[in-house]
Amino acid sequence: MAAPTDRSAAVRAALRTPTPRYPGDLLAGTALAEGIDLSREHGLPDDIAGFLTASRQRQEAIAQRRRRVITVLATLLVLALLAGAGALWQWQTAVAQRAAALSRRLATESGTLINVNPDLSSLLAVQAYRTSRTPEALASLRTDAYLPPGRRLLGHSDAVNSVAFSSKSHTLATGSSDGTVRVWDTDSGKTRTRLRGLSGEVNSVAFSPDGATIATGSSYSAWLWDADTGKPRTPLTGHTDTVFSVVFSPDGHTVATAGADGTARLWDAATGKPRAKLAGHTA
């Protein structure tokens, strides 16, 4: 038989120790494995065999406790993952519900504006559908899709402050902060005539009852214009501040103007001469 190795000698020395009083005195790891091998090969006294048995039982108990800890930790991890998934699902559900509620409100608002402001109604319908594809949003989108396209009159380079229809069919005048007045063909959306040379912003435009003359009110001036040619006819001179409003009398013979100078004035529409100054306002 081969001579025992140094490790075997160490194991034999450990096996010759008295019966252990503390768990730390028991064998573990490689020493325990080699002790068991020696016991199988040579047989050992009962006290040493008991020592090996106690060591093995302690290692088995440690392994069992380790397996229980791993099982508990794995269970806790699964529970944590399930709780996280549940919280994520609840959050996604809440977000979806809020989006659906907002979509329905936008769709409802779109429906209230469809006959008042079709362009805004269409924009709200699109936003409602983008927010959440609710049945209400889809219905609103379909309703707005059947609206006839509106006509935009594009040309002014600044705010449009006043609009007026002519008694002549399909004619509209607009006054803008860009200092111009445009006369439009409402069928084609094209500019017919452009009134130039006004001082400052145009605040008010008005057609005479026969549609032949346009009155304008702007910064420090009021004018009468030929509606067909766009050429100036007569200045209405007298206001000392911005003219905010102009209007023709029903018979077309008189023009009324109101200005920031605190006065309203009446003018002869044919000659442009002043007829009356209506003073008394304090603003």
Side-chain angles (χ1 to χ4, degrees):
M1 180 180 297
T5 64
D6 293 340
R7 181 177 294 177
S8 297
V11 171
R12 287 191 178 92
L15 294 176
R16 289 195 296 269
T17 58
T19 302
R21 292 182 299 170
Y22 304 103
D25 296 335
L26 297 172
L27 295 178
T30 303
L32 176 60
E34 292 187 355
I36 293 173
D37 290 341
L38 287 173
S39 175
R40 290 172 181 171
E41 292 175 2
H42 304 290
L44 296 172
D46 292 342
D47 57 342
I48 297 176
F51 177 74
L52 287 173
T53 300
S55 298
R56 186 179 67 253
Q57 290 175 346
R58 179 172 179 271
Q59 292 303 304
E60 290 175 353
I62 291 173
Q64 188 175 11
R65 284 198 299 272
R66 185 180 295 114
R67 287 193 295 270
R68 283 199 297 267
V69 170
I70 292 173
T71 301
V72 170
L73 292 176
T75 302
L76 292 175
L77 177 61
V78 171
L79 291 176
L81 291 174
L82 290 175
L88 177 62
W89 179 81
Q90 290 179 345
W91 176 77
Q92 290 176 333
T93 300
V95 170
Q97 289 175 345
R98 287 196 294 270
L102 176 58
S103 174
R104 293 189 185 96
R105 288 198 298 272
L106 291 171
T108 300
E109 190 68 20
S110 173
T112 62
L113 293 172
I114 193 167
N115 295 320
V116 179
N117 190 334
D119 285 345
L120 181 55
S121 175
S122 298
L123 291 174
L124 289 173
V126 170
Q127 186 59 40
Y129 188 74
R130 286 177 175 173
T131 301
S132 180
R133 298 182 180 183
T134 61
E136 295 84 354
L138 182 59
S140 178
L141 198 62
R142 287 173 173 170
T143 300
D144 279 274
Y146 288 106
L147 288 174
R151 184 176 302 284
R152 288 189 173 91
L153 307 179
L154 302 177
H156 285 296
S157 60
D158 208 334
V160 176
N161 300 321
S162 180
V163 296
F165 275 103
S166 170
S167 59
K168 295 180 179 180
S169 61
H170 313 296
T171 302
L172 174 74
T174 58
S176 170
S177 292
D178 63 10
T180 67
V181 173
R182 289 175 179 261
V183 180
W184 307 83
D185 184 310
T186 56
D187 288 336
S188 66
K190 294 182 179 179
T191 300
R192 287 181 176 171
T193 309
R194 190 174 178 185
L195 282 56
R196 304 171 184 268
L198 293 112
S199 56
E201 300 179 354
V202 180
N203 301 306
S204 182
V205 294
F207 276 101
S208 61
D210 61 5
T213 304
I214 298 175
T216 63
S218 58
S219 300
Y220 303 101
S221 69
W223 280 82
L224 299 179
W225 307 74
D226 186 293
D228 293 327
T229 65
K231 294 181 179 180
R233 282 185 178 171
T234 311
L236 307 178
T237 306
H239 284 291
T240 59
D241 207 335
T242 301
V243 178
F244 287 130
S245 181
V246 294
V247 64
F248 280 91
S249 64
D251 61 10
H253 295 158
T254 305
V255 180
T257 60
D261 59 6
T263 68
R265 296 169 184 261
L266 302 180
W267 313 83
D268 186 294
T271 64
K273 293 181 178 180
R275 286 185 172 172
K277 178 181 176 181
L278 308 180
H281 289 294
T282 58

